[in-house]
């Protein structure tokens, strides 16, 4: 199952910068591992924003939920999820 996920990171003024840097490093490692596993298929930065658009390929809504709530920066994110299905005009066999 494919999902488009938009993540907007909101950094509160109250967060300790060193703690936030550590969380960012953990987030990077987690994002890289999930990309290598094939679950996090695409990751794009929104130009000029602390936000991304990602494509996840997971077995279920529940799996997506668990992946997202497990992200180190989850407490600082606003997340929007759009379920995707194959477009009849797509030429990509793996769009499912
Ligand atoms: O930077 C972001 O967009 C937030 C998050 C998503 C992947 C990652 O490494 O950090």
């Amino acid at each position: 199952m494919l999902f488009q996920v938009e993540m907007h990171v909101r950094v509160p003024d109250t967060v300790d910068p060193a703690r936030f840097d550590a969380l960012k490093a953990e987030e990077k490692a987690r994002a890289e591992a999930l990309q290598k596993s094939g679950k996090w298929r695409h990751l794009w930065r929104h130009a000029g924003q602390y936000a991304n658009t990602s494509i996840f390929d997971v077995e279920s809504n529940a799996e997506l939920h668990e992946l997202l709530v497990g992200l180190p920066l989850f407490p600082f994110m606003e997340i929007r999820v759009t379920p995707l299905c194959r477009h009849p005009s797509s030429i990509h066999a793996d769009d499912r």
Side-chain angles (χ1 to χ4, degrees), residues 21-70:
D21 283 348
L23 285 172
K24 275 199 291 190
E26 283 176 38
E27 177 82 22
K28 181 174 168 56
R30 182 83 181 120
E32 288 175 358
L34 286 168
Q35 286 172 84
K36 285 177 189 154
S37 80
K39 302 256 176 220
W40 195 330
R41 269 214 211 167
H42 294 280
L43 172 55
W44 294 94
R45 175 63 77 219
H46 293 193
Q49 298 176 46
Y50 196 173
N52 73 72
T53 289
S54 292
I55 303 293
F56 282 80
D57 187 355
V58 292
E59 294 302 317
S60 63
N61 293 12
E63 183 183 12
L64 180 68
H65 179 75
E66 289 308 316
L67 289 183
L68 294 178
V69 300

Side-chain angles (χ1 to χ4, degrees), residues 4-8 10 46 78-82:
Q4 179 201 3
V5 179
E6 265 188 46
M7 302 176 203
H8 295 259
R10 312 279 184 227
H46 293 193
E78 268 175 36
I79 296 179
R80 293 179 208 131
V81 175
T82 305

